[in-house]
Amino acid sequence: METGKEIASTLRTHVTRPVTFMHICGTHEASIARTGIRTLLPPALKIVMGPGCPVCITPQGEIDAALELADRDVILATYGDLLRVPGTAGSLESTPGEVRVVQGIHKAVDLARKTEKEVVFISVGFETTAPTVAAMLLTDPPENFSILSYHRLVPPAMGWLLTQGEAHLDGFILPGHVCTITGYKDYEQFPVPQVVAGFEPEDILLALLMLARQIEKDEHRVENAYPRAVNREGNQKALAVMYQVFEPCDVEWRGFPVIPGSGLRLKEEFSCYDAVRKFGITVRHVKKHSACICDRVLRGVADPTDCRMFGKACTPRTPVGPCMVSHEGACKIWHQYKVKKVI
Amino acid sequence: MCIAVPAEVIEIKDGNIGLVDYGDLRQEVRLDLVDVQVGEFVLVHVGFAIQKLSREEGLETRELFKQVYAAMEE
């Protein structure tokens, strides 16, 4: 990046004390790692990753529940990212059951229309993705179609991170495409500097500069550095569709306890599409692998390279934890771009 | 996971389906979540248009970038 040095020096004039900013989006981490943005930053400015990868924050008990369904002669359909996430006994990739990778839920519904078998869509994702699922459930999918609703909402997790204070966060880079749907009105409840960012390196640098200026002036508000896609109110049509079908529920995140109101379950009138009910399965709490620190990476208190297994026992080919699996997982991204710890 | 790509709506078909153009690739996407017309730009995520992109908003971002670069020259 030709202007890298100039950006770094400008940021340096605005960063006068140690600050830590968190992003909550795997796509942001991919962009930051790919372009080496961390190497341009003043040493006092640290960017940490939060729980921004839907696959990574899906707890092992939910993966195990999906694997249980794979043994029951159903077709599981989901996004490719989820395939290699280790459950207690194998992964969706290693199960002898039938697993299909689809672009989105509409393709899984197409599949259900062409077969007599049960088709279960493993439905992960934040507010960006949940409305697409709701929209399809409103199109009257066939009886042999159902979903495992593993959706999560971002603001409750942010609230949890801020109240427990473990990561000492001075500001947030808000996820651009989550906010495309939700707007950023809901984030104004948090008394901390926040900037909605897009995904080009310039978008992210702009967001960092806006955050640094808020800190400098001792202000906190939500600013929008991604106005070409995001407005304060969000996509009202998509939100209405989402809440027509889903309602918030209390749910565990990997690395987090149960966070009130942070999940989405199907409303009663759509319960015929709820695979948990339909097949009578239970989602259990599973204790984490002893040496894996994905939980601490997801809470922004550890870097991937802090893990003893990083690049050794745990690699993209042989992932131990979910952050080494997904294209949006911090460990896989750091492994791919050979990110060294910036001290 | 939350990757979304801008595309131009080329044709609107029955059943909330639209043909969009990404530049080098054309694809059918679902239009359930937006009200769009042919010729408008949308952001596409997991096969669904999730928001319209307006020319004005694009220009506004460009203006913000200009301010960043101006700040860097201070």
Side-chain angles (χ1 to χ4, degrees):
Chain A
M1 201 181 296
E2 206 173 49
T3 52
K5 279 182 186 166
E6 294 158 59
I7 295 165
S9 69
T10 308
L11 263 171
R12 206 163 274 141
T13 64
H14 290 279
V15 177
T16 51
R17 64 174 177 84
V19 288
T20 302
F21 297 143
M22 175 179 271
H23 67 69
I24 322 170
C25 180
T27 313
H28 277 153
E29 183 57 35
S31 184
I32 289 165
R34 190 182 68 240
T35 54
I37 282 177
R38 281 193 183 83
T39 63
L40 305 174
L41 301 178
L45 196 169
K46 189 176 184 205
I47 310 174
V48 297
M49 297 139 277
C53 156
V55 169
C56 306
I57 55 89
T58 302
Q60 195 164 330
E62 292 186 357
I63 303 292
D64 286 351
L67 287 169
E68 191 184 328
L69 277 182
D71 290 336
R72 297 206 197 174
D73 198 31
V74 307
I75 300 174
L76 289 177
T78 192
Y79 310 105
D81 252 19
L82 210 61
L83 286 190
R84 296 174 88 176
V85 179
T88 305
S91 65
L92 289 167
E93 192 178 48
S94 67
T95 175
E98 192 169 354
V99 180
R100 303 274 187 92
V101 172
V102 290
Q103 180 196 21
I105 185 178
H106 54 306
K107 299 293 181 188
V109 172
D110 285 349
L111 195 61
R113 289 206 171 98
K114 291 177 193 154
T115 177
E116 304 212 327
K117 276 187 157 188
E118 287 288 335
V119 174
V120 179
F121 180 65
I122 310 172
S123 203
V124 296
F126 296 124
E127 293 93 325
T128 322
T129 317
T132 69
V133 175
M136 279 319 282
L137 294 185
L138 289 172
T139 64
D140 200 18
E143 277 180 16
N144 62 334
F145 180 79
S146 58
I147 70 164
L148 284 170
S149 180
Y150 291 168
H151 293 287
R152 296 294 189 280
L153 302 172
V154 172
M158 242 181 90
W160 188 90
L161 282 163
L162 282 169
T163 50
Q164 55 85 46
E166 180 186 31
H168 305 292
L169 303 170
D170 299 289
F172 284 89
I173 303 168
L174 297 181
H177 289 145
V178 167
C179 293
T180 297
I181 297 289
T182 64
Y184 52 86
K185 196 168 69 174
D186 212 17
Y187 292 85
E188 291 166 356
Q189 62 178 300
F190 302 118
V192 61
Q194 300 164 71
V195 177
V196 185
F199 300 90
E200 298 299 325
E202 292 88 347
D203 287 318
I204 293 168
L205 285 166
L206 173 62
L208 290 172
L209 196 57
M210 288 163 95
L211 282 171
R213 283 176 173 167
Q214 284 192 44
I215 300 262
E216 196 177 33
K217 294 179 192 162
D218 202 20
E219 294 173 346
H220 61 78
R221 59 194 147 97
V222 185
E223 291 183 279
N224 185 8
Y226 193 32
R228 63 187 184 273
V230 175
N231 61 60
R232 183 171 179 269
E233 310 299 324
N235 180 342
Q236 291 291 318
K237 187 176 185 182
L239 283 172
V241 165
M242 181 167 99
Y243 284 113
Q244 189 178 344
V245 173
F246 291 109
E247 60 192 1
C249 64
D250 304 345
V251 73
E252 177 195 347
W253 297 44
R254 193 183 290 249
F256 295 73
V258 170
I259 303 174
S262 67
L264 287 176
R265 69 177 168 216
L266 289 165
K267 283 186 171 173
E268 192 57 34
E269 55 263 49
F270 295 94
S271 60
C272 57
Y273 297 117
D274 183 352
V276 170
R277 273 207 205 186
K278 190 173 195 175
F279 297 96
I281 52 169
T282 313
V283 178
R284 296 182 180 83
H285 172 78
V286 181
K287 284 199 169 171
K288 70 171 181 111
H289 187 286
S290 57
C292 173
I293 64 162
C294 277
D295 58 327
R296 300 184 61 228
V297 171
L298 291 167
R299 294 201 302 274
V301 291
D303 288 328
T305 46
D306 293 331
C307 183
R308 285 191 287 130
M309 295 193 291
F310 180 81
K312 298 183 181 102
C314 185
T315 68
R317 280 169 181 244
T318 55
V320 175
C323 299
M324 190 57 94
V325 176
S326 171
H327 296 299
E328 307 232 315
C331 299
K332 177 158 182 186
I333 293 166
W334 281 42
H335 192 271
Q336 180 176 355
Y337 295 110
K338 307 278 185 280
V339 174
K340 303 279 191 297
K341 191 174 174 75
V342 181
I343 300 169
Chain B
M1 181 77 211
C2 287
I3 288 175
V5 185
E8 184 181 356
V9 179
I10 300 297
E11 187 184 342
I12 294 176
K13 303 181 176 185
D14 288 342
N16 273 331
I17 290 169
L19 180 69
V20 301
D21 185 83
Y22 295 99
D24 296 325
L25 174 74
R26 287 187 174 190
Q27 191 182 41
E28 283 188 355
V29 301
R30 302 275 324 180
L31 300 176
D32 308 67
L33 303 174
V34 290
D35 297 310
V36 281
Q37 294 176 347
V38 168
E40 290 188 296
F41 279 76
V42 290
L43 263 182
V44 180
H45 166 66
V46 296
F48 286 70
I50 58 165
Q51 183 62 292
K52 278 200 284 191
L53 291 179
S54 81
R55 180 176 293 273
E56 291 73 24
E57 283 159 350
L59 291 171
E60 195 178 329
T61 314
R62 195 180 296 172
E63 186 55 38
L64 279 168
F65 284 145
K66 273 188 198 162
Q67 290 173 18
V68 176
Y69 292 129
M72 287 185 300
E73 285 167 12
E74 278 174 8

